[in-house]
Amino acid sequence: MRLVLVGPPASGKGTQADRLTDRFRVPKISTGDMLRAARAAGTTLGKEAETFMTAGKLVPDQVVIGLVDERLDHDDAKPGFILDGFPRTVPQAEALGALLEKRGTPLQYVLQIDVSRELLVERATLRRIDKRSGQIYHLKYNPPPPGAELDHRADDQEETVKRRLDEYDAMTAALLPFYEKLGLLRRVDGVGTPDEVTARILSELER
Ligand code: AP5
C-alpha cells in the first residue's frame, strides 16, 4: 500500500491515515507531525519551520523533501506507507516521484478528501490532540475522555486556519490535476462520520 492523502487543513487526513495504518499495517508518514516533533525538540530544522507554521505558510520544499527522503528509508516503510500532508506542491510531488522511482516503488493511489470550507474551520478550531498518545479528538464530533491531557495546536486559531486554507488553494490544489493526469487520483466525500468516510475510502481503493 503506497498511498498519498491530499486534502485541505482539517479535512480528516490524519484521522483517516491512523485508521488505514491499522488496517494495512504500514506507517503513517505525516510531515506536519514530523515538523511539530522537530519544533518541540528545538532542533535547527524545527526552529526554521516554526516561523512558517505559525504564519500558516508552507515550509520550504527542500526541507520537507529531505525529511521524507530520510523517513522512507526506515524499515517499517519498506512494505508501504500512508503519506499524510506530503506532497503539498507540484515540486514536492515531482520530488516524491523521483524518490520512489529510485527505490523501485511507485505510488499506487492519491486520495483526495473533500470538505467544505465552513466545516473545515470548525473542525480545526475545535480539534484537540492527546499529548501522550497523539490521538486526534474534536470537542464537538469526537470528544476526548475526561482527564485527557490535551494540546491545542498554535496554528488552529481561526485566523491562522483561514490563512492555511488560502495557502492550500494557492499552492496545493494544483496537485489534483497533476495526479489526475497520471491516472492516480481518487476522490472521496469527507463529510459524514469518520466511519462513513473510512468506508468510502476502502470502497474507492477496492474499485
Ligand atoms: P499538517 O499538520 O499537515 O496540517 P494540515 O494539512 O493543515 O492538516 P491538519 O493536520 O490540520 O488536518 P487533517 O486533515 O489531518 O485533519 P484531522 O484528521 O486532524 O501541517 C501543519 C503545517 O506544517 C502546515 O501548515 C505547514 O506549515 C507545515 N507543513 C506540513 N507538511 C508540509 C509540506 N508537505 N510542505 C510544506 N509545509 C508543510 O481532523 C481535523 C479535526 O476534525 C479533528 O478534530 C478530528 O477529530 C475532526 N474530524 C476528522 N474527521 C472528521 C469527520 N469525518 N467528522 C467530524 N469531525 C472529523
Side-chain angles (χ1 to χ4, degrees):
M1 172 56 65
R2 295 183 296 277
L3 165 78
V4 163
L5 289 177
V6 181
S11 53
K13 301 181 297 296
T15 300
Q16 295 302 327
D18 286 339
R19 289 159 168 247
L20 296 173
T21 286
D22 289 344
R23 182 165 183 116
F24 294 107
R25 310 234 164 265
V26 292
K28 161 170 110 169
I29 300 184
S30 157
T31 40
D33 286 351
M34 290 158 90
L35 291 167
R36 279 185 289 280
R39 212 171 53 176
T43 63
T44 312
L45 184 145
K47 284 179 193 147
E48 187 191 343
E50 180 157 25
T51 326
F52 296 96
M53 295 171 82
T54 316
K57 295 278 179 197
L58 293 186
V59 171
D61 288 338
Q62 287 320 313
V63 174
V64 284
I65 292 167
L67 278 178
V68 171
D69 189 12
E70 193 268 327
R71 181 64 183 85
L72 286 173
D73 279 338
H74 292 203
D75 281 346
D76 66 339
K78 297 267 151 64
F81 48 78
I82 313 285
L83 271 167
D84 161 13
F86 180 92
R88 260 173 147 102
T89 62
V90 171
Q92 288 182 25
E94 289 167 342
L96 176 65
L99 294 179
L100 295 179
E101 196 182 316
K102 185 171 83 180
R103 292 167 171 89
T105 54
L107 207 52
Q108 293 168 304
Y109 308 97
V110 176
L111 222 127
Q112 177 198 351
I113 305 182
D114 277 328
V115 178
S116 72
R117 191 173 170 116
E118 310 85 74
L119 261 182
L120 291 169
V121 174
E122 185 194 50
R123 281 195 187 178
T125 51
L126 297 182
R127 168 177 28 209
R128 298 293 184 273
I129 297 166
D130 187 299
K131 279 187 185 168
R132 279 168 298 209
S133 65
Q135 174 73 38
I136 305 166
Y137 292 104
H138 190 276
L139 295 181
K140 183 168 162 189
Y141 299 118
N142 179 21
E149 229 188 289
L150 299 172
D151 195 23
H152 185 192
R153 273 169 51 175
D155 60 351
D156 275 346
Q157 302 298 329
E158 186 166 341
E159 281 318 301
T160 314
V161 172
K162 288 181 175 165
R163 278 203 297 276
R164 287 163 57 204
L165 290 169
D166 292 342
E167 190 81 338
Y168 178 85
D169 291 341
M171 308 292 289
T172 308
L175 284 183
L176 307 176
F178 177 90
Y179 280 125
E180 183 128 55
K181 253 192 223 155
L182 294 178
L184 293 172
L185 188 69
R186 313 272 177 109
R187 292 191 171 84
V188 166
D189 179 2
V191 182
T193 65
D195 284 348
E196 286 167 343
V197 178
T198 307
R200 283 177 208 143
I201 291 176
L202 294 176
S203 96
E204 204 37 64
L205 296 180
E206 276 160 19
R207 196 164 59 81

